[in-house]
Every structure is written in structure tokens, then in C-alpha cells.
Amino acid sequence: MRELLSSRTADHYADTVRTTVDRIAARLRTTTQPYSGATPAQLRSLVDAVDLDGPAIGTPAALREVDDLVLEHAVWFHLPTYAAHLNCPVVLPAVATEAVLAAVNPSVDTFDQSGVGTFVERSVVDWTARRIGFAAGDGIFTSGGTQSNLQGLLLAREHALAGVADRGAILPRLRVVASTSSHFSVQKAALLLGLATDAVVAAPVDAVGRLRPDGVAATLAAIRAAGDVPMAVVATAGTTDRGCVDPLDPVARVCEADGTWLHVDAAYGCGLLVSPTRRHLLDGIERARSVTVDFHKSFFQPVSSSALLVRDPADLAPVAWHADYLNPQDSDEPNQVDKSLQTTRRFDALKLWTTLRALGADRLGAMFDEVLDLAAAAQRWVDEDDDLVLVGRSQLSTVLFRYQPAGVPDAQADALVPQVRAALFGSGRALVAKTVVDGRPCLKLTLLNPDTTLDDVAGVLELVRAAGAALVEGDDLVADAAAVAR
């Protein structure tokens, strides 16, 4: 069959993929802004015009349609004017490896479906565990930080319930301690794990949103005094908005003294594992019971590439489930489905393996350092600008700020935040994010592109200034600002 990838279609495969890659390369050469500026209604109309029950148009025409529809209106993370979310540009060795994954299509749930892939993934997991400081750790690749956090807290729940005869009586009393800056997936995991609606307890934080170790200790004591059971403490190594790292070592000491599981969400900050200058920010991470890492954030990997690591391999046991047709209990093969919440699972570890072989860990660390240095310089730039107000300082690569020149009151500055963001997005020339910090909205740059310069960032901030000025002065605010941005 000509439709299937096989020895008979190898030449057709090569021609098809080559043509597709050429189209993508042409887009990369010529695309100058991160988004087309199309509205949701326009995009919906374009998609709705395609009849999926209509006559087949053939592979060449279908791929041309992808170019015209998807690539034309894609959000491009490699451009320096993309500064919205935790999306990184991707390294070439990993992109090339995606072609291997798509064509071979392995599933690394069982050894007889992946062969050498099982050991490649285990090698990458072992490498990551050693970087964390887990001398004999283990882990598994996941779909992303949300799944990694879910699995980490599942393991913590099972540890808390080990030996408990009446699980139903204890489950509603389990509590998870986290900061108000922790990722929303902690709350979602608590829901999925059947915990009480008030199971996630916010511990006191310092002025920049980092957990206070004394506050964690006091929160754990209060939980026990109320007759409830601390299940886990979640520390964050790279909060999504502020880009701050909780003091891991003192928090770990508190958890050890209390006998409570420590999970570290290092989805954002895992790049510090290879940083030549800032690895110390993760001091104490080796004392955690479980750690989330997202290579598709700070290791410049294509989505998805994430993992959950544990200090003690035995802690992974609760997720094992055996099926006679897949991974029978008496099997002596290294079936990784025994460690995973997923069954069918992509061989995403190969991308990082190839990257480490091609570039080396030191180069990846230097690239991450470059974006952290850039963010520090951008914060200084904002702080010295008369029209912009810096909102706190990041240890990683976010920049929080408002457009608020002299004479603009707080309420108006707050109202400008979503309007400025919408104006820039509508123009397609630059993408920034918005969030809320300490009860007030602000704009956010998330810098994850080592090719971005301070001049590039200054250009984005000039677009913010122009849009803000038009919004302050104009009647049709968003329309005026979008016109200026264009």
C-alpha cells in the first residue's frame, strides 16, 4: 500500500518528508513576526471551511493545505519577539530525532516494543538522577510537568497510606503543603487523587513568593494539631510567574524532621542542573523524595520531554499494574510500563540523548545561563525606564512589569494590562503574557531564547510603550493600540 511507510514506499517517504521540511525551512527563513494576527473568528472560519468528510485530495495537496493553514498561522517560538510563556526554541539534534521517532514509532512501555529504547531511556533517567544528586535514583519520562506532578503526589499519597487498614477514613484528612505560587497542577492533582477540596494548604511565603521554611514547619504542625495528616510538601524550583526558587535545603530539613514527603517541582528550573553559574540555587534538591523536570522548557527540547525522578526506586512500586498480555508479573523483561501512569508512551528520551551527545551538557547549561543573564539585564532596563514599573525580581528568566507613566493611577494601569497584551497579540508583532501578582495584574516576559538580545527585548518593550500610550490617549483603545503596534 502506497499510503503506509514501508520498504516499498521508502523513496516516496523521503520525497514527501523532504518537500515538507523544505516548506518549513522556507517559513523559518521568511517569517518575521511570531503570529499572523488572525482573530479566533478568522481561524475558526478557515478551519470550518475544510470538509473532513469530503473527497480525498492526496498527500501533496493535504500537506500544502497544512502549510497554508497551520504554518501560516502558527505561533513561532524561535523569534525574539515571542516572550509570552514557557516555550523554548528547539535544538536541531532533537528536531532531527523527531523524524526517527515518527518513522520508527516505538512505544517504550514494554521491552518487546522498544528494545534498545528501554535502555536509552533508562540511561537518560540515570543521568538526570545523578545530576539531581540521587545516587541510586530512578524515574520515568512523562507527557509534561502536570503528569509528573500528578505521579509524584500519587506516590506521596500511597506512602502516606502505606499500612493503613481504612484508607477511606484517612484519605479526606490528607493535606498537601505548597505556596500560593505553586503550579496549578498541584491543585488539579489533589482533585484527581480524591483528596478533600481543602487538601492543598498554602504555607507562608517571603516577599517574592518563596516558601518560608519556618512557615512550612508551622503549617505542618497546625495540620497535625487539627488531626489531619501531612501527605507532602511541594517546593517549586522556578515559579511560573516570578521565576523564583524555594529554599530547597532548609525546606527539606523541615520535611525530614516532620517525616513528610518532599516533592520538588523543577519543571521550569531544571535547566539549573547543568548551569555553570547557578547550580547552587538547587542546593538541597537531592534531599527530595521526588522531582519533576521539564526538558521541553529549559533544555530546548521539542514537546513533549518531561520526567519524574525519585530518590528511592522502590517508591515507584505503587504505579505498577500487571496484565498477562503485556507485562505479566513473572516477566523478567525490563518493562517500563511498570513505572508509568501511561501505557503507550513516546520514546521522548531519545531527543535528549541525541542532544547531550551532539552538544553536551555544558553547552545546554551555558544556553540556559544566557537567558537568565538576559532576564537580569531586562529587569534592570525596565527598572530604569520612567514609563514602566518593575514588579519584583526573578531568579530565572521572567520579567514582570506594568506600563504606568507618571500621572497614570493604579486602577488605569491595571486596566491597561490586558488591553496592551491584546493589542500586541492582535498585531502579531510581539507576544507577551499577562498574570496577577499580589492581587494586581501585570505584563510578563518569559525569556527562553538564547538568540534573543537586550535590543530585541527593548524593541518588545517599545511596542508595549507605544500600545500603552495609544490606549491612554485613544477612544477605541484596543483598535488604536493594535494599529500602533502594527
Side-chain angles (χ1 to χ4, degrees):
M1 296 180 66
R2 187 170 174 79
E3 296 85 358
L4 297 178
L5 180 59
S6 69
S7 59
R8 294 190 299 275
T9 58
D11 291 341
H12 181 50
Y13 156 75
D15 291 340
T16 300
V17 173
R18 188 178 300 113
T19 300
T20 303
V21 169
D22 285 345
R23 286 199 182 105
I24 297 170
R27 291 283 180 180
L28 290 168
R29 292 187 196 100
T30 58
T31 298
T32 58
Q33 60 184 48
Y35 182 58
S36 67
T39 66
Q42 289 170 332
L43 294 181
R44 179 63 184 266
S45 177
L46 290 172
V47 172
D48 287 351
V50 177
D51 182 5
L52 295 179
D53 284 320
I57 61 175
T59 300
L63 290 173
R64 283 195 299 273
E65 184 176 79
V66 168
D67 182 45
D68 294 338
L69 177 62
V70 177
L71 296 186
E72 175 67 22
H73 299 290
V75 177
W76 296 97
F77 304 143
H78 71 284
L79 292 172
T81 44
Y82 179 87
H85 301 289
L86 283 164
N87 307 112
C88 60
V90 290
V91 292
L92 287 171
V95 175
T97 304
E98 284 281 12
V100 178
L101 301 182
V104 180
N105 199 30
S107 177
V108 286
D109 49 329
T110 59
F111 177 72
D112 64 354
Q113 297 177 76
S114 60
V116 69
T118 294
F119 298 106
V120 169
E121 178 171 330
R122 290 196 170 186
S123 177
V124 176
V125 165
D126 289 346
W127 175 85
T128 308
R130 290 194 301 272
R131 285 279 176 166
I132 290 171
F134 292 165
D138 199 358
I140 197 74
F141 266 64
T142 70
S143 64
T146 295
Q147 184 185 334
S148 295
N149 285 342
L150 172 62
Q151 183 164 350
L153 291 176
L154 168 62
L155 301 179
R157 185 194 72 178
E158 293 308 293
H159 179 262
L161 295 175
V164 173
D166 188 355
R167 291 169 59 100
I170 300 298
L171 191 64
R173 294 168 49 204
L174 294 180
R175 297 292 181 265
V176 177
V177 177
S179 76
T180 52
S181 298
S182 63
H183 195 260
F184 73 86
S185 60
V186 174
Q187 299 276 357
K188 181 181 286 190
L191 172 67
L192 294 173
L193 293 172
L195 307 187
T197 55
D198 59 350
V200 180
V201 181
V205 296
D206 64 15
V208 294
R210 294 174 298 198
L211 281 172
R212 283 174 32 203
D214 62 334
V216 174
T219 303
L220 291 171
I223 289 170
R224 294 192 184 278
D228 294 323
V229 180
M231 182 187 103
V233 171
V234 177
T236 308
T239 54
T240 304
D241 283 337
R242 296 178 185 263
C244 290
V245 180
D246 289 334
L248 302 181
D249 199 56
V251 169
R253 287 198 297 271
V254 169
C255 292
E256 289 166 358
D258 189 73
T260 298
W261 184 290
L262 173 61
H263 175 73
V264 174
D265 178 3
Y268 179 7
C270 63
L272 296 170
L273 292 171
V274 290
S275 167
T277 64
R278 296 174 174 87
R279 174 60 176 81
H280 64 277
L281 293 175
L282 294 181
D283 285 353
I285 195 172
E286 72 281 355
R287 303 171 78 164
R289 292 290 293 265
S290 56
V291 175
T292 287
V293 294
D294 262 12
F295 302 113
H296 57 231
K297 287 187 173 67
S298 50
F299 277 69
F300 311 101
Q301 298 294 291
V303 174
S304 60
S305 184
S306 181
L308 174 76
L309 287 302
V310 294
R311 188 176 67 201
D312 183 352
D315 284 337
L316 289 170
V319 303
W321 199 271
H322 297 280
D324 290 337
Y325 68 88
L326 187 70
N327 62 328
Q329 197 149 10
D330 60 357
S331 173
D332 59 359
E333 294 179 342
N335 295 319
Q336 297 199 103
V337 70
D338 299 348
K339 307 175 185 180
S340 176
L341 298 183
Q342 298 171 255
T343 304
T344 302
R345 193 164 53 84
R346 294 184 86 242
F347 183 20
D348 287 316
L350 184 60
K351 294 179 290 191
L352 184 55
W353 165 284
T354 307
T355 300
L356 289 170
R357 296 295 295 140
L359 305 181
D362 291 346
R363 177 59 188 142
L364 287 174
M367 291 166 67
F368 192 54
D369 262 11
E370 287 170 20
V371 297
L372 304 192
D373 291 340
L374 175 64
Q379 288 175 96
R380 291 191 295 270
W381 198 97
V382 169
D383 203 22
E384 295 169 0
D385 189 282
D386 292 337
D387 292 338
L388 304 177
V389 176
L390 184 67
V391 181
R393 293 190 179 274
S394 171
Q395 292 173 287
L396 297 183
S397 65
T398 57
V399 182
L400 299 172
F401 66 102
R402 295 184 193 90
Y403 173 76
Q404 190 171 5
V408 173
D410 287 351
Q412 186 178 11
D414 291 351
L416 286 171
V417 167
Q419 295 170 344
V420 168
R421 181 258 176 197
L424 266 62
F425 185 79
S427 76
R429 290 185 61 190
L431 269 65
V432 301
K434 62 181 178 65
T435 189
V436 176
V437 173
D438 295 333
R440 290 192 62 193
C442 60
L443 295 165
K444 180 173 73 168
L445 306 182
T446 306
L447 304 173
L448 279 177
N449 188 343
D451 284 341
T452 299
T453 67
L454 186 58
D455 285 343
D456 293 324
V457 176
V460 172
L461 294 173
E462 286 300 327
L463 290 173
V464 168
R465 186 200 311 277
L471 286 161
V472 169
E473 296 171 5
D475 294 323
D476 188 0
L477 298 184
V478 174
D480 286 351
V484 170
R486 287 191 181 95

